[in-house]
Amino acid sequence: MEAKFRHQQYILFYSGLAVILFGVWGVIKVIASQLIAPINWTAVITNTNPNADAEAVSIFFNIVGYSILGIVCLFEILSRLFIGLSAIRESRGHKRNVFYLVFTVLYFVLNFYSGVSSLIQMAKGSYDYNIDPISHESIITVIIDLTSQLSLFLVFTASCQARWLRQAIRKKRALEKAASNDDIEEGIRVGT
């Protein structure tokens, strides 16, 4: 049982590390996609409202759009740092925080929904990242996103199993201690 507990701690540690690394990868991916194919706000504005001053509105939307993108990237890296560092801390036997597990499940569900909607868009052929709907880049992105999802799933399951095993080990040790105390008391009574 203690070997299983240590195994779950290892899984929790490396899954937490993977969550952090996939967060860094996600931010790098967003930044790289904007450097390679930035959003052309002038074309978007001209298509929706031909009478608008496209340049003035484009500058405004660039500021607002990239600010929102920065906030999303910051949320991505901070949330993954929180999940990953909490998992690593728990794997080392430090304070166990229940909130990070709830946050991990919510984050998993949101990422799962996002991944499924991306797959649906890719299947429809309306996937707009300036790459073919089904290409090597999109397949690699899907594989990386699935692996990221797997790391979140492993953080949750390893943490739950480690907590259950920790309680079972404590109960087992308490029973062994009680049994040894009974043996000692029995030996004292027999000896006198």
Side-chain angles (χ1 to χ4, degrees):
M1 188 179 311
E2 291 180 13
K4 288 181 182 179
F5 174 67
R6 284 192 306 275
H7 179 71
Q8 294 304 319
Q9 284 181 311
Y10 290 138
I11 292 173
L12 191 56
F13 177 83
Y14 288 113
S15 298
L17 189 62
V19 167
I20 293 170
L21 292 176
F22 281 120
V24 171
W25 164 250
V27 171
I28 290 172
K29 183 175 71 169
V30 168
I31 292 171
S33 70
Q34 289 306 306
L35 290 175
I36 292 170
I39 298 171
N40 185 356
W41 290 109
T42 307
V44 172
I45 294 163
T46 312
N47 289 338
T48 57
N49 188 1
N51 297 330
D53 181 16
E55 285 302 314
V57 177
S58 176
I59 292 171
F60 173 75
F61 275 109
N62 276 332
I63 293 170
V64 171
Y66 287 118
S67 297
I68 291 171
L69 192 63
I71 291 169
V72 168
C73 286
L74 185 66
F75 175 76
E76 169 83 7
I77 197 70
L78 289 178
S79 60
R80 287 189 175 263
L81 270 173
F82 173 70
I83 292 169
L85 290 176
S86 295
I88 290 170
R89 200 172 309 121
E90 183 175 346
S91 74
R92 293 183 174 167
H94 296 288
K95 182 181 174 187
R96 295 177 302 279
N97 186 356
V98 176
F99 176 71
Y100 98 90
L101 288 177
V102 173
F103 191 69
T104 301
V105 170
L106 290 174
Y107 203 74
F108 177 82
V109 169
L110 289 174
N111 279 341
F112 184 78
Y113 174 75
S114 172
V116 168
S117 65
S118 294
L119 285 174
I120 291 171
Q121 288 177 351
M122 191 177 3
K124 288 181 178 179
S126 64
Y127 202 69
D128 190 22
Y129 280 120
N130 295 331
I131 56 176
D132 295 333
I134 298 179
S135 66
H136 295 351
E137 293 88 1
S138 61
I139 292 171
I140 290 169
T141 300
V142 167
I143 290 170
I144 290 173
D145 289 343
L146 288 174
T147 309
S148 173
Q149 287 293 98
L150 179 64
S151 67
L152 288 169
F153 179 75
L154 286 174
V155 163
F156 180 75
T157 57
S159 178
C160 291
Q161 288 179 0
R163 289 169 187 232
W164 180 80
L165 287 168
R166 184 180 292 117
Q167 287 177 350
I169 290 169
R170 284 184 183 159
K171 286 179 183 177
K172 180 181 174 186
R173 288 181 181 161
L175 289 174
E176 288 172 354
K177 185 177 180 181
S180 68
N181 286 343
D182 288 343
D183 290 343
I184 293 171
E185 289 177 11
E186 184 67 31
I188 292 173
R189 277 185 264 164
V190 171
T192 56

